[in-house]
Amino acid sequence: QVQLVESGGGLVQAGGSLRLSCAAYGITISSYTLGWYRQAPGEQRELVGTFSSGGSTNYGGSVKGRFTISRDNAKNTVYLQMNSLQPEDTARYYCNAVRAGAGSGWNYWGQGTQVTVSS
């Protein structure tokens, strides 16, 4: 069974840092484009950033320079390092893995982990 298991969320003060982890089971993440998304109550899901199978990254404008996505193939885990956190970063964060294939391809989501930034 394919699972993306997230951890690392919690409560942090503004200006602090947090690292989220997403461990994958049933897939090899080096073959996937990986992404982090977030969603605050009453708002639409927002792209935080992506990490391609080839290692290139893209970030949303609101987090560029503060957040970094990395991949550890040996651990089959993708990370989101979040620095200089602001209250506006408060949201539930989700990891995603997608790969082209026959038909609609493969697209997996984690369960999400809550990040709350206090002022």
Side-chain angles (χ1 to χ4, degrees):
Q1 298 297 122
V2 175
Q3 288 188 70
L4 302 179
V5 181
E6 303 176 28
S7 61
L11 176 65
V12 64
Q13 293 184 356
S17 298
L18 208 60
R19 188 179 75 161
L20 307 183
S21 300
C22 180
Y25 303 88
I27 61 171
T28 300
I29 65 169
S30 61
S31 301
Y32 289 76
T33 293
L34 309 170
W36 286 94
Y37 295 78
R38 67 186 184 185
Q39 187 170 27
E43 300 182 9
Q44 293 188 330
R45 186 173 57 196
E46 174 189 14
L47 173 68
V48 175
T50 59
F51 189 107
S52 76
S53 61
S56 62
T57 57
N58 286 286
Y59 298 96
S62 63
V63 307
K64 188 175 182 179
R66 299 188 297 121
F67 291 9
T68 303
I69 301 173
S70 61
R71 180 185 66 190
D72 188 332
N73 290 335
K75 297 181 179 179
N76 210 36
T77 298
V78 61
Y79 302 94
L80 178 65
Q81 178 67 47
M82 305 184 294
N83 299 325
S84 302
L85 284 162
Q86 306 167 15
E88 294 75 27
D89 297 316
T90 295
R92 191 167 185 86
Y93 285 71
Y94 300 86
C95 64
N96 168 253
V98 62
R99 187 182 73 180
S104 60
W106 291 262
N107 192 344
Y108 304 103
W109 290 90
Q111 79 287 353
T113 184
Q114 180 68 35
V115 172
T116 302
V117 184
S118 64
S119 59

